[in-house]
Amino acid sequence: MRQATLGIIGGSGVYEIDGLTNRRWETIASPFGAPSDQFLFGELDGQPLVFLPRHGRGHPFSPSSINYRANIDAMKRAGVTDLISLSAVGSLKEEYVPGHFVLVDQFIDRTFTREKSFFGTGCVAHVGLSHPIATRLQDALEEASRELKLPVHRDGTYICMEGPQFSTFAESMLYRSWGCDVIGMTNMPEAKLAREAELPYATVAMVTDFDCWHPDHDSVTVEAVIKVLTDNADNARALVRTVAPKLAQRPDIDEQGGDRALDFALITHPEAHDPTMVAKLDAVAGRVLRSR
């Protein structure tokens, strides 16, 4: 076991983590462009923590304009070993009501305008993503949620839409027919990129509304979402404070979480590598590229 550095990506309504000591905001440069904001470094009872507001403080970035590659690359450069996403979602199930948390374990990606990989021409890789969530992180989040008596559900499928518009009624009904549990706009390609960066990843999906399928509830509006976001954000920050000590130590290698996701993912022969591409991948894939 070794000490972990916990990374937190805060979604809508979560732009700050309180209770940190030795706190400081720092700019981290990435070869993939500018991250959403500066990174908040600090400690919770001695546990190192790095926080990033996904949409930036003040929420200047829409889901489609977030630089997901820069965010994940910079988390890796900051020394993060494990990554937790806090994300506002709509519910596609009767029993998941606004204010509930869902610890999803699967994703369906319906986005279409975003850069979804660190790799490409000059250095091609194909990582496995059959189980995108790190069970170790999910277990700790469930335990912490129950200690706080938060209404939490284990497992479920998160469908990620492009946005920024909310669903049509037909889309909402289609996603329900597919067996999806919650809908959001930000966890793809974030989860894919975390796997490519060999960062174990877990999502706390915070329900704000019933999308637009529910006959007894109005269609989702920003006004309605913001009202629930306030309470959800307070609970999310409490959850971070409670879960951090549980993740202070982590295995040297978390195979299930993706610590070695790149071992057999790179397919481009070393002699065909593009030096410029390889240089950009120094944080994300340096472990395997240096050994080739």
Side-chain angles (χ1 to χ4, degrees):
M1 303 292 286
R2 62 187 176 97
Q3 186 178 50
T5 297
L6 185 61
I8 305 292
I9 298 181
S12 299
V14 185
Y15 310 109
E16 176 78 77
I17 295 292
D18 53 13
L20 297 181
T21 57
N22 300 320
R23 50 183 288 135
R24 65 194 186 280
W25 287 92
E26 289 189 11
T27 299
I28 300 179
S30 167
F32 294 95
S36 296
D37 204 326
Q38 290 183 306
F39 288 71
L40 175 61
F41 288 76
E43 297 177 2
L44 280 173
D45 297 325
Q47 159 72 345
L49 186 144
V50 181
F51 171 78
L52 175 69
R54 184 186 286 114
H55 297 275
R57 284 169 287 182
H59 208 111
F61 294 107
S62 76
S64 298
S65 65
I66 292 168
N67 190 336
Y68 295 92
R69 293 196 300 177
N71 287 352
I72 298 298
D73 175 76
M75 279 286 184
K76 189 82 173 184
R77 294 178 188 279
V80 165
T81 61
D82 300 285
L83 190 58
I84 292 174
S85 159
L86 306 173
S87 303
V89 298
S91 170
L92 296 170
K93 296 186 76 170
E94 186 88 39
E95 59 268 37
Y96 296 173
V97 304
H100 284 202
F101 285 5
V102 184
L103 306 178
V104 301
D105 67 337
Q106 287 293 329
F107 299 99
I108 295 176
D109 188 358
R110 295 280 290 173
T111 65
F112 49 83
T113 70
R114 309 174 188 187
E115 293 284 357
K116 300 189 179 187
S117 178
F118 292 110
F119 300 91
T121 304
C123 191
V124 177
H126 303 280
V127 300
L129 203 65
S130 58
H131 299 288
I133 294 299
T135 302
R136 175 175 55 86
L137 303 184
Q138 195 180 40
D139 290 343
L141 286 165
E142 181 180 22
E143 181 181 347
S145 297
R146 299 203 184 284
E147 286 179 12
L148 292 168
K149 295 183 170 50
L150 299 177
V152 64
H153 305 272
R154 175 72 179 250
D155 298 337
T157 297
Y158 175 127
I159 185 163
C160 191
M161 64 187 296
E162 183 63 49
Q165 300 85 1
F166 295 121
S167 305
T168 67
F169 178 76
E171 289 171 331
S172 197
M173 296 302 289
L174 174 65
Y175 302 149
R176 276 173 51 79
S177 76
W178 287 354
C180 300
D181 298 279
V182 295
I183 182 168
M185 300 181 188
T186 58
N187 275 203
M188 284 287 153
E190 190 174 88
K192 291 178 175 178
L193 294 167
R195 179 56 53 88
E196 286 190 343
E198 299 187 325
L199 282 175
Y201 179 89
T203 288
V204 181
M206 306 179 295
V207 177
T208 61
D209 57 85
F210 277 111
D211 204 35
C212 64
W213 64 269
H214 202 299
D216 298 328
H217 293 268
D218 294 333
S219 296
V220 58
T221 65
V222 170
E223 181 183 15
V225 167
I226 289 176
K227 184 177 180 181
V228 180
L229 275 178
T230 303
D231 290 336
N232 276 358
D234 290 340
N235 287 334
R237 285 188 285 267
L239 180 58
V240 169
R241 291 192 297 269
T242 303
V243 80
K246 301 179 186 300
L247 297 171
Q249 297 293 315
R250 52 107 73 210
D252 285 334
I253 300 175
D254 183 356
E255 294 281 6
Q256 188 277 332
D259 277 4
R260 293 295 183 266
L262 295 177
D263 274 356
F264 305 104
L266 296 180
I267 196 168
T268 304
H269 291 184
E271 60 270 20
H273 281 168
D274 176 353
T276 301
M277 170 70 80
V278 169
K280 291 176 67 174
L281 294 166
D282 62 327
V284 167
R287 181 186 70 83
V288 290
L289 288 171
R290 287 189 292 268
S291 66
R292 303 190 92 197

